Amino acid sequence: MSISLQPSETTAALMDQVLQWSEDLARKYARQVDTEEGFPFIEEVVDGCPLDVAPTGFALLRDDEFIDRAHTLSAADVKNTDVEFGPNVMSVFMCDPLSQGDSWAWQLLYGGEPAVGFVKAIGTPEQVARWCGDERVLSAIAMTEDQSGTDLAGIQCTAVRDGDDWILNGTKVFISNALESDWLVLLATIDPGAGSKGVRAFVIDRADMEKVEITVPKEDKVGFRHLRNASFAMHDLRIPYDRCIGGEDVRGLAGAMQFFSKNRATCSVWGPSIAKGCVKFTRSWLDEHKDDFTTQRWDRIHADFDEMIERLDDAIRLSLRAAWLNDSGESNTEAVSHAKAVAPKFAESVVLRCLQVMGHEGASRRHLMEKWVRDVKMTDAVLGPSQVQRRTAANLLLRRHKH
Amino acid sequence: MFDLEMDEVSRAITDTGREIALGPVDRAAFAADREQSIDEACVNAVHEFGFTCPTSEAVGGSGLPSAFQQMLALEALGYGDPGVVGVLTLSSAAALVIGSCGTAAQQERWLSGVADRTRAVVPLALYESFGRAPEDFETAIVAEGAGRWRVRGRKVGVALGESGPAHVLVIGRDPGSGRLRAAFVATGDPGVSLAHEVDPAASQGFLALSQARFATVDVDVVVAADDLLGGGDDVADALGVAVARTRLLPAAISLGGANRAREYATKYAIEREAFGSSIFEFQGVSFPLANNQIQLDAARLSLWKAASELDAGAARAPASVSAAVNECHAAATTATRDAIQTLGGHGFLADHPVERWYRCAAMLSSLDSDPLFTRFEAAV
């Protein structure tokens, strides 16, 4: 028996269907959601997807649930063949085609909203039952503060116990879907000055959000404009005691780290997926303009395309390795930091190159290329930017060689 | 003799350019990006500086600067905002070409009133995309007989500016000899189709620089001898030099914008604290910024080399021009991308100008990019 770096036949078939969906339906509405800067629940898009679950939701499912949510797979397919049932590997495989048409739509699917996974990771059974039902909800995670982005130990929002309640104060910034969500997970410290040890996670529902001060209703940003990012301030916001996820003794950062660990490999593929779609689109555009290029330029561009796909597949394989380690119950901290360190940067350089190949036309709104140039830049920041991943990788290297 | 010592005039150009950049250009940039128009005070300050639309004394201007000085000026201005300065430069680019190669009568006809801004200069139809440099242009300008010339081809990225122009100046080649030619064509001629590439009223029609009102121009017309720039092929070499210099202008502007982005990101990194110290202390943050500076410095030297060769009386466009253009755009797109990265989540927001500078660098690079000069390299 040898190793395999390929998806099973069944998985590959499902990937093809997902790719078709992304190119047809996700792309169909891409300009609309970019221009209107909203995240509409478009039934045609959701109903048309061969998957009823987002890659970030795979880890939330039992095996039989996955079959239910992969409409085109029958139980017999799964029984007789070889669907990758490591949810993390499966999610990376599926994330590859999901954004090739355009990157906005998969977040509409079950589990595309991040907070459910967070509660499932560290919540009490009662909390999981209450907040993580089957119905589709829109949820959000409010971690970032003005002074604290990647370094969550620097969180300054406070939560103070007051009888049967918590009283929250402080400001959260750039929170995706903060004002549209049914509920949010919010990180605050119960012990200012204690760093990460003091951080806890809380559930804030829509009624609570009506009591906060909206400081910025919609941030004006370069890409991923379908996601509205808002900033808000809490002034003595009172929430019930049982909203502390996992209970008062469970550190919120542990939940955040579990959430990151489960999803970072998947999110590493987001940029490469956009970039692969971009290469495919550019190739197709080039085919219509073949006569406009000299042979020398044509050959160089196509050699570049081969190189681009190689590098993007490198990134995806690094992500798959990290996911596979996670599915195997092994630590993937180092592997996933490697994947996330390189994947978005590979993707950015590919998309920019494709824009330049298309020239002036690529920069106009007649095509989605200019949107992808804006969107792809966002993928680096999701779940920890590449600089921080390199720092993690370097620290692990040091630790290993020091001992 | 190798000598990088700036004379007094060159230093003054850089200083004044920086003042305008950090004054009216910087103040106008945010609104210009959104509102599709550029504040009049900014337009006046930039044009009065004399490097975006230079004209000779004979037509009321202050003279044509050297290529080197023009690069200094435009890099300095681009430091304020590459989008605003890019629009003002691209929509005036024909002035330099006409001033360098036009007959006295043509200069009088097309450039009088431009210096005092009582009339706009005719738009320049230069770029063709597909990686083409001027020596590859497929737009043909050939003798039709009886002193008439046929102009046929397609030009993209023609910056129409605010006004609906009655003419455009089209750059083409003689397909046989390869000589560059340029001709004024009337936009009202049935053989000229001038299509806005997007609805000019639509907001943010392009990745950036939408205020330029870009158009695609399809031409198949016959023009009179008077409309052939310079009146004949005697100016072919001069035209090659003028066009080469014109191609360097967006590169210089992009360089200025990218350096501003790099400095902005560096300042942010020094002030921003995470994990117990200034993030600049982390080499993962500071080394890319240092690399950006190295690449931008190298690109500037490449730009200066090309410009100084033009000033030294190159008989035709030196090969270094395409190399400089592509090197500047590559360094600028990398530096602006890294600037966003340095700012983290803040970098994506319009609260900070780096996202705008990233879009501008990408946009400018799309105008004039040749895959033969830069190989794709995956950023790491």
Side-chain angles (χ1 to χ4, degrees):
Chain A
M1 181 185 158
S2 180
I3 61 163
S4 168
L5 292 165
Q6 299 299 321
S8 69
E9 280 184 26
T10 310
T11 300
L14 185 55
M15 288 169 72
D16 286 343
Q17 293 166 10
V18 169
L19 176 60
Q20 195 66 47
W21 166 83
S22 185
E23 290 179 341
D24 291 347
L25 289 174
R27 191 169 289 175
K28 178 178 176 182
Y29 292 98
R31 181 57 76 190
Q32 177 187 325
V33 299
D34 181 61
T35 305
E36 296 176 1
E37 300 190 26
F39 192 46
F41 186 83
I42 300 174
E43 287 184 6
E44 180 188 8
V45 176
V46 177
D47 293 347
C49 186
L51 287 173
D52 189 18
V53 58
T56 46
F58 282 25
L60 310 178
L61 302 177
R62 300 185 308 271
D63 293 356
D64 57 331
E65 286 178 315
F66 179 77
I67 297 166
D68 287 344
R69 289 178 182 276
H71 301 313
T72 55
L73 291 181
S74 70
D77 281 337
V78 174
K79 189 176 175 186
N80 292 334
T81 59
D82 47 3
V83 174
E84 274 82 5
F85 265 99
N88 290 286
V89 167
M90 192 67 177
S91 71
V92 171
F93 272 133
M94 289 304 147
C95 202
D96 178 349
L98 268 170
S99 293
Q100 288 194 40
D102 194 84
S103 60
W104 77 276
W106 66 260
Q107 294 160 83
L108 289 174
L109 306 173
Y110 172 82
E113 70 283 355
V116 172
F118 198 111
V119 174
K120 279 198 169 181
I122 62 167
T124 63
E126 294 76 21
Q127 288 169 331
V128 172
R130 177 171 178 190
W131 300 104
C132 308
D134 283 339
E135 73 282 10
R136 180 187 183 276
V137 293
L138 192 58
S139 63
I141 297 187
M143 291 192 279
T144 306
E145 298 176 10
D146 200 37
Q147 80 296 333
S148 165
T150 305
D151 183 8
L152 294 173
I155 279 175
Q156 291 179 1
C157 280
T158 58
V160 176
R161 175 91 185 262
D162 182 32
D164 290 338
D165 295 330
W166 293 98
I167 297 176
L168 303 181
N169 279 285
T171 300
K172 292 292 179 183
V173 299
F174 320 153
I175 308 304
S176 300
N177 286 332
L179 306 186
E180 291 78 19
S181 289
D182 297 292
W183 54 275
L184 299 82
V185 168
L186 182 144
L187 298 190
T189 180
I190 61 170
D191 187 3
S196 61
K197 291 179 183 170
V199 175
R200 299 292 182 271
F202 300 87
V203 173
I204 307 295
D205 68 14
R206 191 181 281 274
D208 301 323
M209 284 300 290
E210 288 174 8
K211 299 173 192 163
V212 306
E213 177 195 358
I214 310 299
T215 51
V216 183
K218 182 169 72 66
E219 298 282 1
D220 187 351
K221 64 187 198 294
V222 63
F224 281 3
R225 290 180 178 166
H226 64 279
L227 285 178
R228 294 186 184 181
N229 292 66
S231 300
F232 59 90
M234 300 171 290
H235 306 292
D236 292 332
L237 176 66
R238 185 175 287 273
I239 62 170
Y241 179 71
D242 67 1
R243 296 283 191 82
C244 183
I245 303 173
E248 193 171 342
D249 297 329
V250 173
R251 290 186 195 172
L253 275 190
M257 292 307 141
Q258 282 191 45
F259 170 75
F260 289 164
S261 163
K262 283 185 188 301
N263 287 296
R264 191 171 277 135
T266 303
C267 288
S268 297
V269 184
W270 204 347
S273 177
I274 294 171
K276 283 176 83 171
C278 196
V279 171
K280 188 173 177 184
F281 178 85
T282 310
R283 276 186 191 274
S284 165
W285 182 87
L286 280 171
D287 287 342
E288 294 170 16
H289 295 86
K290 183 168 184 179
D291 294 341
D292 292 315
F293 288 90
T294 62
T295 305
Q296 206 180 4
R297 289 195 178 97
W298 182 264
D299 291 346
R300 168 61 70 82
I301 290 167
H302 283 78
D304 278 354
F305 283 150
D306 293 343
E307 173 74 10
M308 289 176 195
I309 295 298
E310 275 297 314
R311 296 287 76 77
L312 294 172
D313 283 344
D314 280 347
I316 292 170
R317 281 189 288 269
L318 286 170
S319 304
L320 281 166
R321 179 184 63 165
W324 178 81
L325 286 168
N326 206 354
D327 285 338
S328 306
E330 296 182 43
S331 168
N332 75 345
T333 309
E334 187 172 30
V336 82
S337 69
H338 292 176
K340 186 69 172 59
V342 298
K345 299 198 79 172
F346 285 1
E348 287 169 18
S349 48
V350 167
V351 175
L352 270 170
R353 184 69 168 180
C354 287
L355 170 78
Q356 290 164 350
V357 165
M358 277 185 73
H360 186 66
E361 188 163 339
S364 91
R365 286 169 65 93
R366 275 181 297 176
H367 303 288
L368 287 168
M369 179 67 70
E370 67 85 27
K371 175 180 186 289
W372 297 331
V373 170
R374 293 185 284 107
D375 284 348
V376 76
K377 192 70 208 78
M378 304 291 292
T379 63
D380 199 317
V382 177
L383 298 187
S386 51
Q387 303 102 312
V388 174
Q389 304 308 324
R390 281 190 167 73
R391 180 174 178 268
T392 302
N395 285 344
L396 292 169
L397 203 59
L398 177 65
R399 196 182 303 169
R400 184 183 312 134
H401 289 279
K402 225 174 171 180
H403 299 296
Chain B
M1 187 179 83
F2 190 89
D3 181 10
L4 294 179
E5 182 67 32
M6 298 269 183
D7 62 19
E8 208 169 303
V9 174
S10 298
R11 282 199 298 272
I13 288 169
T14 300
D15 292 346
T16 307
R18 277 290 178 100
E19 276 177 32
I20 298 168
L22 294 175
V25 172
D26 189 60
R27 285 196 293 274
F30 182 86
D33 186 48
R34 275 155 179 71
E35 294 167 13
Q36 302 287 295
S37 63
I38 301 173
D39 172 67
E40 194 61 21
C42 170
V43 176
N44 289 338
V46 169
H47 281 324
E48 283 167 12
F49 186 32
F51 292 91
T52 45
C53 185
T55 51
S56 66
E57 288 92 344
V59 291
S62 50
L64 302 184
S66 71
F68 174 68
Q69 288 175 340
Q70 198 174 12
M71 297 312 134
L72 289 181
L74 287 177
E75 185 187 345
L77 289 173
Y79 185 86
D81 185 74
V84 164
V85 178
V87 167
L88 296 178
T89 305
L90 288 167
S91 52
S92 307
L96 177 78
V97 177
I98 300 169
S100 303
C101 309
T103 62
Q106 286 171 333
Q107 296 205 29
E108 179 62 28
R109 179 180 174 194
W110 298 104
L111 295 179
S112 61
V114 166
D116 60 14
R117 302 192 55 233
T118 52
R119 63 182 285 202
V121 68
V122 59
L124 181 68
L126 172 63
Y127 302 107
E128 295 190 0
S129 278
F130 311 114
R132 289 180 200 157
E135 57 269 27
D136 310 307
F137 281 171
E138 294 198 358
T139 298
I141 302 179
V142 295
E144 184 79 354
R148 298 175 71 78
W149 299 83
R150 174 172 288 274
V151 185
R152 180 189 290 173
R154 165 173 281 201
K155 292 291 183 178
V156 302
V158 181
L160 300 182
E162 291 288 341
S163 59
H167 293 80
V168 292
L169 177 61
V170 177
I171 307 293
R173 282 192 320 140
D174 179 292
S177 66
R179 285 195 194 95
L180 278 185
R181 292 176 181 145
F184 298 94
V185 301
T187 55
D189 190 297
V192 177
S193 143
L194 188 147
H196 281 278
E197 292 174 1
V198 292
D199 176 0
S203 65
Q204 298 186 329
F206 275 83
L207 188 57
L209 282 79
S210 289
Q211 314 93 319
R213 311 285 198 279
F214 289 112
T216 296
V217 179
D218 286 293
V219 184
D220 187 1
V221 295
V222 175
V223 300
D226 288 352
D227 291 325
L228 187 74
L229 188 69
D233 283 344
D234 292 348
V235 297
D237 287 343
L239 182 58
V241 169
V243 165
R245 193 211 277 212
T246 304
R247 291 179 63 211
L248 292 175
L249 303 180
I253 293 166
S254 202
L255 204 57
N259 262 307
R260 180 87 180 279
R262 178 189 61 75
E263 289 178 14
Y264 193 99
T266 302
K267 186 167 183 291
Y268 180 93
I270 291 168
E271 292 172 357
R272 176 78 175 179
E273 291 194 2
F275 303 106
S277 66
S278 152
I279 62 171
F280 194 82
E281 299 295 321
F282 298 111
Q283 292 177 347
V285 174
S286 55
F287 278 18
L289 292 168
N291 281 339
N292 294 150
Q293 185 175 18
I294 294 163
Q295 288 169 2
L296 289 167
D297 281 355
R300 182 188 295 108
L301 292 171
S302 179
L303 180 77
W304 286 359
K305 175 176 181 286
S308 61
E309 285 174 6
L310 293 174
D311 285 336
R316 57 185 64 237
S320 56
V321 169
S322 285
V325 167
N326 283 277
E327 190 175 349
C328 286
H329 288 314
T333 49
T334 302
T336 51
R337 191 178 68 197
D338 289 347
I340 289 187
Q341 190 66 24
T342 304
L343 268 69
H346 289 272
F348 305 131
L349 306 180
D351 298 5
H352 296 271
V354 289
E355 68 86 24
R356 187 175 74 239
W357 296 331
Y358 165 76
R359 288 187 282 113
C360 288
M363 175 74 205
L364 287 167
S365 78
S366 76
L367 274 174
D368 193 1
S369 182
D370 185 346
L372 295 176
F373 277 88
T374 50
R375 185 176 287 278
F376 167 74
E377 286 179 28
V380 289

